[in-house]
Amino acid sequence: MVKLRLKSEKRLNLFFLFVLFSIFISGDVVAQTGKKITSVVIDAGHGGGDPGAVGKRSKEKDITLNVALKTGEYIKQYCPDVNVIYTRSKDVAVSLSKRAKIANDNNADVFISIHCNANASTSPYGVETFVMGEHRNSQNLEVAKLENAAILYEDDSDQHYDGFDPNSTEAYIMLNFFQSEYKNASLDLAERIQHQLVKRVGRKDRGVQQAGFLVLYKTAMPSVLVEIGFLSNPSEENFLISDEGQTYIASAIFRAFRDYKNDYDKENDVQPNVVDENQVVYKVQIESRSRRVSNPEQHYKNLQYIDCYEHNGMYKYTSGLFYDKKDADKYCAQLKSNGCPDAFVVSFKNGVRL
């Protein structure tokens, strides 16, 4: 027992020295300082032999990959001047250290890591977005431990993480010594992602948080880790494994990135080269009323992306937001089979119904 304790203390001391060393040499890491956002790394959490969180019907690694690829496709389509880089585009294992290295080697402007949450209880649900920082409560620490446990699947973790123990509370205290110079920008992006997921997709708001994530602390650019829901919650798992749910989440992350890029480019006097998705978007009209609904999100609580527009003196409510009519038609068919027989697709250009 004494030998084990001494070994653990030795590993902890090595990691402490490593973190201090990282602080002093952090200026040597190549950071993106351009006046325009031209590249983004989309990181699908886990992969290969590391399944991540496991629900009754799904694995985190599969959901994060699908959402990451969808997010990247939206960015490619509507932000054509942005180079989208994936840390993985298929079911393969990628170490946490390599994910950060991919971002740094490509001088990426933004790093977005996508994950699913889990809990011993089936009750918790909702979304939360993290940046690198000091955990403020035990829940945040547990999320970090869960995600950092991915290094246990790596054969050479001691070499890359200098004895970091993902289950040691003391190790996270030491990790918190490292503060990214991009923390404020990361918080800005995190707030935008959280807003989109809560207001546009209707997910429960668990807030923007800080915690010590190994995948974030070596990235030399604004970086966030988004937990898109709990696989341990049956209802949320059903949403996360559905194509509809993954599409909504990917769209929300894209919109947050697009808005962040727009504001960043404008602040640096660069004309954004972003295709406005409102030029042609498709929604599914579900109801027409003579009076407004006081609380649409609650009234249509089983639907996503609820919106309202006025037409011919009536208030018309829609669900969904699509950039491809085929996706809208598919969603419309689903609504019709689920109790909305009069649903039909409507298109908009620059906010005006066509």
Side-chain angles (χ1 to χ4, degrees), residues 330-351:
K330 181 179 177 181
Y331 180 57
C332 183
Q334 292 176 355
L335 291 185
K336 285 185 175 181
S337 64
N338 291 329
C340 295
D342 298 325
F344 62 94
V345 176
V346 288
S347 58
F348 296 82
K349 183 175 183 180
N350 296 323

Side-chain angles (χ1 to χ4, degrees), residues 11 47 64:
R11 288 164 61 91
T64 60

Side-chain angles (χ1 to χ4, degrees), residues 15 18-19 43 95-101 104 111 113 115 131-133 143-152 154 157 160-167 171-172 174-176 178 211-219 223 225:
F15 181 69
F18 171 72
V19 171
D43 174 46
S95 69
L96 297 185
S97 59
K98 185 175 181 181
R99 294 169 193 257
K101 188 175 187 300
N104 293 336
F111 180 88
S113 188
H115 290 259
V131 302
M132 181 66 196
V143 174
K145 285 183 176 181
L146 182 66
E147 300 301 354
N148 289 339
I151 69 172
L152 301 177
E154 301 176 24
S157 61
H160 292 294
Y161 309 105
D162 291 77
F164 178 83
D165 181 358
N167 296 313
Y172 288 90
M174 295 178 183
L175 187 61
N176 288 332
F178 185 89
F213 292 95
L214 289 175
V215 74
L216 298 182
Y217 95 103
K218 278 191 175 181
T219 53
S223 304
L225 185 149

Side-chain angles (χ1 to χ4, degrees), residues 202-203 295-304 306:
R203 313 317 294 166
N295 190 342
E297 285 74 17
Q298 181 63 29
H299 185 79
Y300 303 104
K301 61 183 178 181
N302 294 323
L303 301 176
Q304 306 294 329
I306 297 300

Side-chain angles (χ1 to χ4, degrees), residues 146-208:
L146 182 66
E147 300 301 354
N148 289 339
I151 69 172
L152 301 177
Y153 290 89
E154 301 176 24
D155 294 333
D156 52 357
S157 61
D158 282 347
Q159 176 183 346
H160 292 294
Y161 309 105
D162 291 77
F164 178 83
D165 181 358
N167 296 313
S168 167
T169 301
E170 291 80 4
Y172 288 90
I173 294 174
M174 295 178 183
L175 187 61
N176 288 332
F177 278 100
F178 185 89
Q179 295 293 327
S180 170
E181 62 179 297
Y182 299 98
K183 186 174 182 179
N184 289 337
S186 298
L187 285 169
D188 181 12
L189 177 59
E191 291 282 359
R192 294 171 189 263
I193 291 176
Q194 192 70 13
H195 174 80
Q196 290 289 337
L197 289 171
V198 173
K199 300 300 182 182
R200 303 288 299 192
V201 191
R203 313 317 294 166
K204 179 184 178 182
D205 186 6
R206 296 177 63 88
V208 170

Side-chain angles (χ1 to χ4, degrees), residues 115-132:
H115 290 259
C116 298
N117 219 329
N119 194 281
S121 168
T122 59
S123 298
Y125 66 100
V127 295
E128 51 193 342
T129 308
F130 287 87
V131 302
M132 181 66 196

Side-chain angles (χ1 to χ4, degrees), residues 46-170:
H46 307 279
D50 172 17
V54 177
K56 288 187 176 180
R57 304 169 54 199
S58 62
K59 296 177 181 178
E60 179 181 2
K61 68 173 184 177
D62 300 322
I63 294 173
T64 60
L65 180 58
N66 290 340
V67 173
L69 294 176
K70 285 177 179 287
T71 301
E73 286 305 310
Y74 280 138
I75 295 174
K76 290 177 184 178
Q77 184 175 0
Y78 296 107
C79 301
D81 60 334
V82 174
N83 179 30
V84 176
I85 304 157
Y86 300 107
T87 56
R88 68 182 182 96
S89 57
K90 54 186 178 180
D91 185 18
V92 295
V94 182
S95 69
L96 297 185
S97 59
K98 185 175 181 181
R99 294 169 193 257
K101 188 175 187 300
I102 289 172
N104 293 336
D105 288 350
N106 285 278
N107 291 331
D109 296 298
V110 174
F111 180 88
I112 301 173
S113 188
I114 301 172
H115 290 259
C116 298
N117 219 329
N119 194 281
S121 168
T122 59
S123 298
Y125 66 100
V127 295
E128 51 193 342
T129 308
F130 287 87
V131 302
M132 181 66 196
E134 182 180 359
H135 62 270
R136 303 297 173 86
N137 54 56
S138 60
Q139 288 85 358
N140 291 0
L141 175 60
E142 291 307 311
V143 174
K145 285 183 176 181
L146 182 66
E147 300 301 354
N148 289 339
I151 69 172
L152 301 177
Y153 290 89
E154 301 176 24
D155 294 333
D156 52 357
S157 61
D158 282 347
Q159 176 183 346
H160 292 294
Y161 309 105
D162 291 77
F164 178 83
D165 181 358
N167 296 313
S168 167
T169 301
E170 291 80 4

